[in-house]
Amino acid sequence: MKKMSNIYESAANTLGIFNSPCLTKVELRVACKGISDRDALSKPDPCVILKMQSHGQWFEVDRTEVIRTCINPVFSKLFTVDFYFEDVQRLRFEVHDISSNHNGLKEADFLGGMECTLGQIVSQRKLSKSLLKHGNTAGKSSITVIAEELSGNDDYVELSFSARKLDDKDFFSKSDPFLEIFRVNDDATQQLVHRTEVVMNNLNPAWKTFKVSVNSLCSGDQDRRLKCIVWDWDSNGKHDFIGEFSSTFKEMRGAMEGRQVQWECINPKYKAKKKNYKNSGIVILNQCKIHKMHSFLDYIMGGCQIQFTVAIDFTASNGDPRNSCSLHYIHPYQPNEYLKALVAVGEICQDYDSDKMFPAFGFGARIPPEYKVSHDFAINFNEDNPECAGIQGVVEAYQSCLPKLQLYGPTNIAPIIQKVAKSASEETNTKEASQYFILLILTDGVITDMADTREAIVHASHLPMSVIIVGVGNADFSDMQMLDGDDGILRSPKGEPVLRDIVHFVPFRNFKHASPAALAKSVLAEVPNQVVDYYNGKGIKPKCMSEYESSRTLAP
């Protein structure tokens, strides 16, 4: 076996995975001013939707929370986007009025939009522009976007606040409190970090636990001042001030081992006027948990193996393999598209797999000896051991099985996803980051079992696996884009959403004249983040902490 460092180097050189510029993430914060509504009698309930342009089309990436009855909203939710220095990344921010009885966009009023590039925001750090509606300015409304690089420390912190004996600000009922936390910047400006939900009619609220990046909370400076304000929510948007207090992340870390930290909530006006004034309530931090964010490198260097499986489409639409027009035609000097895609992706994955043994399956053909249709047969015809030795072994098994098959149909891929999911499911019992599964599906057409496939993908999104689909040939692959959750959330037929986006679809024709490395880079670009999202989401640490890891740890 090659030395570990060589493996990383060869893969890094091919893919550019570790030194790739996309390892820079940027947090975007959004605020609007002077939003006007069609209905002059009521204020809008604004929400900002972030869209990104890809191949000339706009796709929704994320959206903020909805702020009720507000014309100058400052949104608490951050957008986190990957920044590629070498790409022009076009962004569109759309402000919509989301009516309270419906959270979709169907009934929403479009209040205005703003287009720019991520580069513009990053280079200016703070970008303010007028909102446009159908090409014209939407009144005096404007939007401001502030960018911050998520540098170095990706750790995040989980905080759980409650309060007791808050001042009552309502005549006929109790206050409806919510808490806002601001970071005080070096230039003394204040940046909203988090806004809790409103707890109705309660002077002793317990707000929901929330997560925020350490970078966002204090810019990595534990002694930076944090200003916390408690408000009494009002439906007209004019919230009443209850009180405030200051703290630091260092102080909040006192709530780590089951201890509590508490502050008096002070209203400066009352304190100045009233002799016997003590406070306007007590705010308590019940827990502060720090979650270490590990990188793709941490997991790979900790010994996580990438288990690579390939599945090949042998349906009749590929054409008779003996005919030179067939997508499965074996040309003596020129590999067909199936082989090109297999080799380009497989060559990289094999560097992360120590035994270099790859299960390879076929679907959509009648197989010997009984010539029954199968959607998950081993192409070496050894059901007990479908593994081939290296990518070359997969290529040889593919070439030798072709003459023995009857290409048939339909194009069902759910069985093969379920088969790999079964292995990935067994892996979850170890509770370790030891094996992550990548299924490469090579297919020439639109799949027939879309409902079962969606169900299988939703199930697989809970497991350590990713699915890459490469479309071979010139079919219409528009249905396949639906499985790649980039333009909305994929759901099972019963409506259950995917836990995380695990499918990446690439049409081979886009890379027909490009290098194999370009195809591999595109196909595998999302894998590092998918690996990290899975293990970090489950709270699973890399198996053995490397020196690299210990150097990244947040100092106590």
Side-chain angles (χ1 to χ4, degrees):
M1 184 182 156
K2 284 192 257 177
K3 277 183 28 213
M4 284 297 255
S5 59
N6 294 354
I7 289 180
Y8 300 131
E9 274 169 35
S10 67
N13 293 342
T14 324
L15 237 195
I17 241 173
F18 303 146
N19 52 3
S20 161
C22 82
L23 290 183
T24 306
K25 285 191 178 294
V26 176
E27 287 185 334
L28 302 178
R29 303 163 181 282
V30 186
C32 300
K33 276 200 172 147
I35 298 175
S36 52
D37 198 3
R38 266 191 337 183
D39 180 358
L41 299 174
S42 67
K43 292 178 185 170
D45 298 337
C47 165
V48 174
I49 291 170
L50 170 62
K51 293 185 173 179
M52 270 187 158
Q53 198 177 53
S54 174
H55 304 300
Q57 286 183 298
W58 291 103
F59 296 105
E60 178 176 334
V61 176
D62 207 350
R63 56 176 71 185
T64 64
E65 76 276 22
V66 177
I67 296 183
R68 300 286 169 211
T69 52
C70 187
I71 57 170
N72 299 314
V74 177
F75 296 94
S76 169
K77 172 157 168 81
L78 295 172
F79 295 131
T80 305
V81 290
D82 290 335
F83 172 61
Y84 297 84
F85 176 71
E86 72 277 25
D87 286 353
V88 176
Q89 291 170 272
R90 299 194 187 282
L91 306 183
R92 179 171 167 79
F93 296 85
E94 292 182 0
V95 186
H96 290 263
D97 180 10
I98 307 274
S99 55
S100 51
N101 57 358
H102 184 82
N103 253 6
L105 288 185
K106 302 272 189 298
E107 301 176 21
D109 289 338
F110 173 62
L111 301 178
M114 183 270 278
E115 287 181 23
C116 62
T117 67
L118 185 54
Q120 286 169 333
I121 305 172
V122 168
S123 60
Q124 297 178 39
R125 298 288 294 268
K126 181 177 182 178
L127 180 72
S128 294
K129 288 177 88 169
S130 297
L131 285 170
L132 298 180
K133 198 171 178 181
H134 312 307
N136 304 313
T137 52
K140 291 183 179 172
S141 59
S142 67
I143 185 165
T144 299
V145 185
I146 297 172
E148 274 182 26
E149 185 186 347
L150 257 177
S151 55
N153 191 342
D154 294 343
D155 300 347
Y156 63 94
V157 61
E158 203 173 301
L159 300 169
S160 176
F161 283 94
S162 61
R164 62 171 189 263
K165 295 186 178 170
L166 292 174
D167 284 356
D168 197 350
K169 295 285 181 185
D170 294 342
F171 288 119
F172 302 110
S173 63
K174 295 180 177 133
S175 294
D176 308 316
F178 66 94
L179 171 69
E180 286 186 327
I181 300 174
F182 294 86
R183 181 185 76 213
V184 181
N185 296 323
D186 295 339
D187 59 2
T189 56
Q190 295 178 11
Q191 180 62 60
L192 178 67
V193 173
H194 184 76
R195 180 187 294 121
T196 68
E197 77 284 7
V198 177
V199 177
M200 301 298 284
N201 200 22
N202 194 333
L203 301 180
N204 302 297
W207 292 290
K208 285 179 187 163
T209 302
F210 63 91
K211 290 176 185 173
V212 60
S213 72
V214 171
N215 199 65
S216 173
L217 181 64
C218 63
S219 306
D221 173 6
Q222 299 187 50
D223 295 312
R224 183 178 295 281
R225 191 162 82 87
L226 304 174
K227 186 175 179 183
C228 308
I229 305 178
V230 181
W231 300 91
D232 168 31
W233 179 82
D234 262 328
S235 57
N236 65 6
K238 293 177 182 171
H239 311 306
D240 299 315
F241 176 77
I242 293 179
E244 64 186 23
F245 62 93
S246 285
S247 183
T248 61
F249 179 39
K250 197 172 195 174
E251 187 178 20
M252 288 181 177
R253 290 182 66 157
M256 278 177 70
E257 275 94 39
R259 297 191 297 273
Q260 289 183 336
V261 181
Q262 52 186 44
W263 299 267
E264 287 188 293
C265 193
I266 302 296
N267 183 327
K269 278 188 186 171
Y270 288 179
K271 192 173 184 180
K273 281 184 188 171
K274 297 182 179 178
K275 268 189 183 173
N276 300 330
Y277 177 76
K278 276 189 178 173
N279 57 51
S280 295
I282 303 288
V283 175
I284 303 136
L285 177 58
N286 300 297
Q287 76 160 12
C288 168
K289 275 190 198 166
I290 295 174
H291 294 268
K292 189 102 207 73
M293 288 300 279
H294 301 285
S295 71
F296 179 60
L297 251 186
D298 293 337
Y299 287 106
I300 294 297
M301 289 185 154
C304 182
Q305 297 281 310
I306 299 290
Q307 295 293 341
F308 178 64
T309 302
V310 63
I312 300 170
D313 179 336
F314 290 108
T315 54
S317 53
N318 284 283
D320 184 340
R322 291 167 298 193
N323 185 325
S324 62
C325 299
S326 167
L327 291 168
H328 279 306
Y329 180 67
I330 304 291
H331 193 284
Y333 310 113
Q334 178 70 30
N336 62 35
E337 288 187 16
Y338 279 100
L339 285 173
K340 281 182 183 167
L342 163 65
V343 171
V345 179
E347 297 259 277
I348 286 166
C349 289
Q350 72 179 354
D351 278 344
Y352 300 96
D353 187 340
S354 56
D355 72 358
K356 308 275 182 287
M357 298 297 287
F358 305 117
F361 298 97
F363 57 91
R366 288 173 158 173
I367 59 169
E370 292 164 12
Y371 287 95
K372 285 185 177 163
V373 176
S374 170
H375 297 292
D376 57 353
F377 61 91
I379 64 172
N380 63 2
F381 298 118
N382 182 347
E383 293 302 326
D384 297 329
N385 183 12
E387 293 189 329
C388 305
I391 295 304
Q392 191 52 39
V394 179
V395 170
E396 287 163 8
Y398 163 75
Q399 290 174 329
S400 69
C401 83
L402 261 174
K404 302 168 189 161
L405 301 174
Q406 280 183 9
L407 274 53
Y408 206 68
T411 311
N412 291 354
I413 63 170
I416 194 70
I417 295 173
Q418 288 157 354
K419 194 168 204 135
V420 175
K422 189 166 180 278
S423 302
S425 177
E426 287 162 9
E427 168 61 19
T428 57
N429 299 331
T430 66
K431 305 271 192 294
E432 279 189 342
S434 48
Q435 293 188 81
Y436 190 91
F437 293 78
I438 293 180
L439 169 59
L440 172 66
I441 298 175
L442 306 170
T443 178
D444 83 314
V446 177
I447 56 179
T448 326
D449 61 340
M450 186 57 91
D452 288 347
T453 296
R454 279 164 47 205
E455 183 82 47
I457 290 168
V458 168
H459 170 66
S461 71
H462 293 261
L463 302 170
M465 73 178 275
S466 296
V467 180
I468 294 163
I469 304 173
V470 176
V472 174
N474 293 314
D476 173 11
F477 289 117
S478 47
D479 275 9
M480 296 300 227
Q481 301 286 2
M482 168 187 161
L483 298 175
D484 191 336
D486 292 346
D487 54 348
I489 293 170
L490 175 74
R491 293 177 185 274
S492 74
K494 294 172 191 157
E496 185 192 345
V498 282
L499 181 68
R500 50 195 191 93
D501 183 9
I502 64 162
V503 177
H504 186 37
F505 171 75
V506 177
F508 185 85
R509 57 175 171 248
N510 294 2
F511 295 89
K512 219 164 188 169
H513 306 295
S515 68
L519 170 70
K521 186 167 181 174
S522 169
V523 165
L524 294 170
E526 296 182 14
V527 169
N529 286 340
Q530 289 172 350
V531 171
V532 167
D533 286 351
Y534 174 76
Y535 290 121
N536 275 325
K538 289 268 190 268
I540 297 174
K541 294 176 179 168
K543 285 205 300 184
C544 46
M545 298 291 220
S546 60
E547 290 168 35
Y548 167 74
E549 166 60 33
S550 52
S551 70
R552 291 170 70 249
T553 309
L554 185 74

